[in-house]
Amino acid sequence: MMKVMGAVREPGGSRGVRGGPLRDLTDPGTYRAAAYVLLTLPAGALVAALLTVVVAGGLLTLPVLIGAPALVGAVWLVGALGDVQRRLAGVLGVSFTRPAPGSYAGVLAWLGAQLASPVTYRTLLFHAVQLPLGALCWLVLAALLVVALMGLSAPAWALGSVVPIVWNEWTVQPGPVAVAGLTLAGLGVLIVTAGVLNLMGRMWTRLAAALLTLDVGDEAARREVIALRRAAGRVALGDDLTATLGDLTAQALAASTAAQVAVYAPDGTLRAATPQADLGAAPAEVAPCWPSPGEANVLPLPDGGLLAVLPVSLPASAGTLEGGTLRARYRPGVRPGADELAFLLSIADHAGTALHAAQLIERAGARAGEQERARLARELHDSVAQALYGITLGAKTARATLERDPARTLQSLDYTIRLAEGGVSEMKALLFSLRPDALEEGGLIAALTQHAHAMEARHGLKVHAELRREPDLAPDVQAAAYRVAQEALHNVVKHARAAQVWVSLVQDGPLVTLTVRDDGRGFDPQAQGRGTLGQRSMRERAAGAGGTLSVESAPGEGTAVTLTIPAAVPAAGEVGA
């Protein structure tokens, strides 16, 4: 549902009220309207004469087959004179959006299209009403100007006259007071004339906008569809809210008749706008009536243009439905139709989707930060904090038994040293996992080595690591392999109840094989179906890296997880070297 509020105000339409009674006399719109009104009568007479001659000549010569081309020419003349009228309307500041030229398919096809187009009949109606309406405007203005000139010239013809003015039985000899009154009356009529000119300008602007507007139909729909498709892609892929909103305003401007498009926050803060420096008053200078969801408010601007205000709505899950407004400013004489307002509402909905997506990303980031801090706290508590506590106990025990039981003191010191080494390994592994560039700097071998040392210190497992040469892996594949190894070792600790773990990483030509094997209790893969969530996560990481994952296990025989991934292809320069 579209709601249009207010009337179109052409140049000078509201300034006369705000600027006082003399504002119409100084308003440039008054003189533009006067110029147009002066042109209407001769232009209307010329158009009427041309159309009458061509149509009458065609009808009279129709029996001798000359009239048919003349009537076709009359149809062409209606459109051609309509183009002249549209250019003439530029005196009032009215501009028209022209559709893209279509392909020529012959005279009959062109004639059929012209006769089927409502633009032809609206233009013909404008031609028909221009002459009588122009003549009426001339008569009204002539009468007002005569009265105004008589009043303003009263000092010349009244004070200098020796002949008294006789009217019925009354004989009047104008004195200075009467002359002054006549002069003031003439000035008042002149001010009224300026106001009437502005009124005529608004009338002709409305008439031209209503009857001379071209039907851009299919072309406008095509532009709108393309703009909506690009807007949807931008919202789906855009991660920069400011850039996304800026692109949406650009798409709205390209596919509409608006002169400027902007997106504002609920408090009136500008979020994005199309750069237009020569359009006068910006939309932000008008306090718009807040539109209802799914509706558009069209408000008049002081310069005679229009401002369309459309709501940027957010879904109910966002906590608020008010995402701000999308505002489209139109030049004087250009009025958006219902289809264009519907298109702008769609762009506003896309802007709301982009705002909601940005909110969700921000919330997800905050939530991820909280979860990461909680995980870090658990890791520190379960590993480093426990190790430090054990080191403290071992050191106190060594100090207490130093003089009376040297052997026990030695055992306590060995225990303390092992805990300290384990704590260092735990801390290194933890810091390694927190740094996103650690794998790239240290390599996969260093990461797995630190993780193996941390497992030995923390869980008392015996880890046999066969980690020799750093394999040739792309950074994303390297990260996937490390995460698979982490998940496999985590499953060993959580489920296997193993005493020993074997970790190997071997590159054999174009393939790299990572194996994590334990001597735990194992399980039946067939009974477990597709595996646990951890197994599914490992398989997804393996598939994302272009490799495969296999899990072999049996009850009481341990488990072996094997990841096979492709090695990186060396660059041409490296091969040549």
Side-chain angles (χ1 to χ4, degrees), residues 268-295:
T269 305
L270 179 64
R271 279 178 167 152
T274 54
Q276 296 287 345
D278 58 345
L279 296 178
E285 297 179 6
V286 177
C289 219
W290 193 272
S292 302
E295 296 183 353

Side-chain angles (χ1 to χ4, degrees), residues 397-420:
T397 303
R399 184 179 62 182
T401 60
L402 180 61
E403 297 180 355
R404 54 187 175 83
D405 193 351
R408 188 176 179 184
T409 300
L410 184 60
Q411 293 178 356
S412 297
L413 290 176
D414 290 340
Y415 172 73
T416 302
I417 291 172
R418 287 196 303 271
L419 286 178

Side-chain angles (χ1 to χ4, degrees), residues 130-501:
Q130 185 181 33
L131 179 60
L133 193 57
L136 180 61
C137 291
W138 272 50
L139 288 176
V140 172
L141 288 178
L144 290 173
L145 287 175
V146 168
V147 174
L149 289 176
M150 289 183 62
L152 291 175
S153 62
W157 60 264
L159 289 178
S161 176
V162 296
V163 179
I165 299 174
V166 179
W167 183 62
N168 292 335
E169 294 90 1
W170 299 88
T171 301
V172 180
Q173 182 68 46
V177 176
V179 171
L182 290 174
T183 304
L184 290 176
L187 180 60
V189 174
L190 185 63
I191 294 173
V192 171
T193 303
V196 170
L197 275 173
N198 264 322
L199 180 63
M200 291 179 178
R202 294 196 296 273
M203 177 194 68
W204 282 107
T205 298
R206 285 176 177 271
L207 191 64
L211 298 181
L212 296 179
T213 300
L214 293 168
D215 187 7
V216 294
D218 295 339
E219 178 65 21
R222 186 185 67 84
R223 292 199 308 266
E224 290 174 0
V225 168
I226 293 175
L228 287 176
R229 184 178 62 192
R230 291 177 178 173
R234 178 67 188 186
V235 171
L237 301 177
D239 54 354
D240 186 340
L241 178 61
T242 302
T244 299
L245 294 179
D247 190 69
L248 289 178
T249 57
Q251 296 297 334
L253 182 69
S256 68
T257 58
Q260 184 181 22
V261 180
V263 176
Y264 288 85
D267 59 357
T269 305
L270 179 64
R271 279 178 167 152
T274 54
Q276 296 287 345
D278 58 345
L279 296 178
E285 297 179 6
V286 177
C289 219
W290 193 272
S292 302
E295 296 183 353
N297 289 350
V298 180
L299 309 169
L301 290 173
D303 64 350
L306 292 175
L307 176 66
V309 183
L310 307 102
V312 176
S313 301
L314 300 177
S317 59
T320 176
L321 297 179
E322 294 182 358
T325 55
L326 184 142
R327 307 181 192 179
R329 183 185 182 278
Y330 293 85
R331 291 186 177 90
V334 180
R335 188 182 188 91
D339 292 339
E340 182 164 318
L341 291 177
F343 162 71
L344 293 177
L345 275 173
S346 298
I347 293 292
D349 290 340
H350 281 304
T353 302
L355 290 171
H356 186 48
Q359 289 180 357
L360 293 178
I361 292 173
E362 183 178 357
R363 292 177 188 173
R367 180 62 178 167
E370 293 175 0
Q371 292 177 346
E372 184 64 20
R373 286 192 294 271
R375 186 191 69 83
L376 179 59
R378 289 193 303 270
E379 293 284 345
L380 289 173
H381 177 269
D382 295 341
S383 58
V384 180
Q386 296 292 338
L388 293 176
Y389 181 70
I391 291 171
T392 302
L393 290 179
K396 288 181 178 180
T397 303
R399 184 179 62 182
T401 60
L402 180 61
E403 297 180 355
R404 54 187 175 83
D405 193 351
R408 188 176 179 184
T409 300
L410 184 60
Q411 293 178 356
S412 297
L413 290 176
D414 290 340
Y415 172 73
T416 302
I417 291 172
R418 287 196 303 271
L419 286 178
E421 290 176 347
V424 171
S425 297
E426 287 274 8
M427 182 60 71
K428 286 182 178 179
L430 186 60
L431 293 176
F432 195 94
S433 65
L434 290 176
R435 290 184 56 195
D437 58 346
L439 271 175
E440 186 176 351
E441 292 181 1
L444 183 58
I445 297 294
L448 293 176
T449 301
Q450 292 291 346
H451 202 70
H453 289 166
M455 285 194 66
E456 285 184 331
R458 179 175 177 182
H459 302 289
L461 288 171
K462 182 63 178 177
V463 181
H464 306 274
E466 185 184 352
L467 307 171
R468 300 175 183 174
R469 186 175 66 87
E470 185 73 30
D472 299 323
L473 295 175
D476 55 340
V477 178
Q478 195 178 56
Y482 180 63
R483 299 306 176 191
V484 167
Q486 272 188 319
E487 183 63 33
L489 292 171
H490 173 75
N491 288 340
V492 170
V493 174
K494 187 175 180 181
H495 303 291
R497 297 180 184 176
Q500 299 185 82
V501 181

